[in-house]
Amino acid sequence: MKENICQKKMNLVEKLGVHLEAREQLAPVAARILSYIILTGKRGATFEDMVSVLCASKSTISTHLNHLQDLNKIEYFTKTGDRKKYFIIDKNTIIQHVDRMISHWDQEREIHLEIKAYKESENQKNIKNEDDKFDLTFHNDYVKFVDEATVSVKELREKLIDKKFHI
């Protein structure tokens, strides 16, 4: 059973690692480290665990851990009487990602509104055949989607800031 859970976790580390590698422009090992830390949760992942599980050298893990800390993607805590560092995801990383999503959606919303306004003005011209007019349904639905998604993501952001849940 434990091997099955471990295999599932490692498959997910790989899948999430590939995703983070592209989204965050991280080196493959750094992305796998970040994935492993995310999937280990609030109990924290130790340096020794990562060296063992990720099958990378101590210097490689150390280099990428330092880089991830410099990027403020991870942080660590210690336990009394234990010299180990326990690495966890930095909550601000998720907040920054949410902020980027909102900014991206705001830009897309503005572009769609401009395109819609242009198409509306074109539709006002002397177009005799109704089939030649622009259909604005997609733009209306897309703007509605972006507005609703933004409200939802902003709620998530506030919960993160107010510490309503642990990552």
Side-chain angles (χ1 to χ4, degrees), residues 139-160:
H139 298 292
N140 292 331
D141 289 349
Y142 191 83
V143 168
K144 180 182 175 192
F145 161 76
V146 167
D147 288 345
E148 291 171 357
T150 300
V151 166
S152 181
V153 169
K154 284 181 178 178
E155 262 181 45
L156 175 66
R157 185 185 189 283
E158 289 307 312
K159 287 180 181 178
L160 281 167

Side-chain angles (χ1 to χ4, degrees), residues 25-155:
Q25 289 87 43
L26 293 173
V29 174
R32 294 339 177 261
I33 290 170
L34 186 57
S35 299
Y36 185 78
I37 290 170
I38 288 169
L39 294 171
T40 300
K42 63 184 176 184
R43 74 168 189 246
T46 66
F47 174 80
E48 294 79 11
D49 289 341
M50 289 183 265
V51 169
S52 171
V53 172
L54 298 175
C55 300
S57 70
K58 289 180 179 182
S59 64
T60 298
I61 297 291
S62 179
T63 298
H64 289 293
L65 280 174
N66 288 331
H67 181 63
L68 290 168
Q69 287 177 89
D70 291 344
L71 294 173
N72 296 318
K73 295 198 179 295
I74 62 172
E75 59 188 4
Y76 70 86
F77 65 91
T78 57
K79 297 177 182 178
T80 306
D82 187 352
R83 293 177 46 194
K84 294 180 183 178
K85 293 179 180 178
Y86 294 85
F87 294 92
I88 56 174
I89 188 83
D90 186 333
K91 177 180 69 168
N92 291 321
T93 296
I94 297 170
I95 293 170
Q96 291 166 3
H97 175 64
V98 167
D99 289 343
R100 285 191 307 269
M101 282 179 15
I102 292 169
S103 175
H104 175 77
W105 287 343
D106 286 345
Q107 291 171 7
E108 284 199 16
R109 182 183 192 281
E110 290 307 312
I111 289 170
H112 276 273
L113 289 174
E114 285 184 46
I115 293 169
K116 180 183 167 202
Y118 168 78
K119 289 180 177 181
E120 284 174 332
S121 70
E122 289 296 308
N123 284 349
Q124 299 302 317
K125 294 183 178 176
N126 243 352
I127 300 175
K128 292 184 170 75
N129 186 351
E130 284 295 313
D131 288 341
D132 291 341
K133 288 188 175 185
F134 286 106
D135 181 1
L136 303 174
T137 306
F138 172 75
H139 298 292
N140 292 331
D141 289 349
Y142 191 83
V143 168
K144 180 182 175 192
F145 161 76
V146 167
D147 288 345
E148 291 171 357
T150 300
V151 166
S152 181
V153 169
K154 284 181 178 178
E155 262 181 45

